[in-house]
Structure formats: structure tokens, C-alpha cells
């Protein structure tokens, strides 16, 4: 990712914290939540690694195809899981976006640079998807946060915190796509 160093480090912290929370969510009693949290933790940590400013660390060229393969496998797993629940399609789109960004990083000498050709079509489509996702998720988050009381659950099983986690990753994805 290329952009100002401070915003890159903020994305690293945001995505790593989200990944850590998702790891904690894997302790849920609900199997579907555990499974989703695992994919989201992988996405959070992968985004954190990709967001490290190039001035601080430039990984070797061979790491980008490795990242692309890892997220391609995660995307295929999400597509397979989508047979049972359409919610996994978002994970597949996210994994596809990560493959796209890793391929873009591998293509350029220091990362993805598209020159003066404007925003490529796929980047624009992904930006629109994640911007819409952020808006919808944010709108869904507000009513859940306003509900008080209810049955006592572990903090890892709270749906509003899981949505906030997904919202933060969606915002980070928009920021990362904007820098491509």
C-alpha cells in the first residue's frame, strides 16, 4: 500500500486489532460464528500486513504471489461455504479483492501504480461494493447498539461488535483500494 505513512500505520493497527478480536470470536459456542470469525481474522491480519507503509518495510517480490495464492484459497473456501449461507459471498469478494491487490503489488516495482490511466474498472467495482457494504453495515449497526438489555452473552458473541469488526475491515478495504 502506498500513501502517507501515518495513515498506513493507522490501517495496520485497525486491521491487526480487528484480526485479534476475530481470533477471540473463534471461541464462540456457535459454530457458524467461529467459522466466520476465522476467515475474518485471516482477512484482518492479511490487510494489516499489506497496509504496512513501503517506507518501513518492502517485502521480497516472491511474497505477493504467495499472498495471492493464500487469499485465492480463502476465496474458494468462502465460495464453498456460500452453499450453506449467502453471507460467505462477502468473504469471497473480500478474498478476491485481496488477490487483486496482491497481484497489483507484484506487478509494480514498489507496489501497485496504475499511472495516469485513471481507476481501472475492477478497482472501481470493488470500491463501489465496499463503499455500499460500509454504508449498509453502518446503518445496521446503529439499531443494534441502541438495544439495551437482552440475554447475557459472552462479549465475543455480541452481533453488534462482530458487525463493527466487519465495518472496520470494510472501511480499511476502501482505503486500501483508493491507494491503488
Amino acid at each position: 500500500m502506498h500513501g502517507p505513512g501515518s495513515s498506513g500505520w493507522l490501517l495496520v493497527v485497525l486491521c491487526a486489532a480487528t484480526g485479534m478480536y476475530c481470533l477471540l470470536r473463534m471461541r464462540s459456542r456457535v459454530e457458524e460464528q467461529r467459522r466466520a470469525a476465522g476467515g475474518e481474522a485471516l482477512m484482518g491480519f492479511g490487510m494489516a500486513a499489506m497496509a504496512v507503509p513501503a517506507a518501513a518495510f518492502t517485502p521480497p517480490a516472491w511474497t505477493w504471489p504467495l499472498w495471492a495464492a493464500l487469499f485465492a484459497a480463502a476465496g474458494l473456501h468462502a465460495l464453498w461455504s456460500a452453499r450453506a449461507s449467502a453471507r460467505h459471498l462477502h468473504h469471497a469478494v473480500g478474498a478476491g479483492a485481496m488477490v487483486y491487490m496482491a497481484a497489483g503489488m507484484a506487478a509494480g516495482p514498489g507496489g501497485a501504480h496504475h499511472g495516469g490511466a485513471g481507476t481501472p474498472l475492477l478497482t472501481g467495482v470493488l470500491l463501489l461494493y465496499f463503499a455500499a457494504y460500509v454504508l449498509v453495515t453502518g446503518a445496521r449497526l446503529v439499531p443494534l447498539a441502541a438495544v439495551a438489555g437482552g440475554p447475557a452473552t459472552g462479549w465475543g458473541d455480541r452481533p453488534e461488535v462482530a458487525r463493527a469488526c466487519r465495518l472496520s475491515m470494510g472501511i480499511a478495504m476502501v482505503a486500501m483500494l483508493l491507494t491503488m
Side-chain angles (χ1 to χ4, degrees), residues 30-111:
V30 181
E31 182 180 349
E32 178 64 26
Q33 288 182 14
R34 283 193 310 266
R35 204 173 289 159
E40 291 166 1
L42 174 67
M43 189 68 67
F45 289 127
M47 289 171 67
M50 286 181 135
V52 172
F57 176 71
T58 303
W62 58 265
T63 58
W64 298 117
L66 198 63
W67 278 109
L70 174 70
F71 282 104
L76 289 174
H77 182 267
L79 283 174
W80 183 259
S81 298
R83 296 174 309 127
S85 172
R87 277 188 292 166
H88 293 284
L89 290 175
H90 172 71
H91 292 152
V93 172
M98 294 295 282
V99 169
Y100 174 66
M101 287 189 289
M105 299 284 237

Side-chain angles (χ1 to χ4, degrees), residues 78-137:
L79 283 174
W80 183 259
S81 298
R83 296 174 309 127
S85 172
R87 277 188 292 166
H88 293 284
L89 290 175
H90 172 71
H91 292 152
V93 172
M98 294 295 282
V99 169
Y100 174 66
M101 287 189 289
M105 299 284 237
H113 294 282
H114 296 296
T119 305
L121 181 62
L122 185 55
T123 303
V125 169
L126 289 170
L127 275 169
L128 286 174
Y129 172 81
F130 282 104
Y133 179 80
V134 164
L135 292 173
V136 169
T137 302

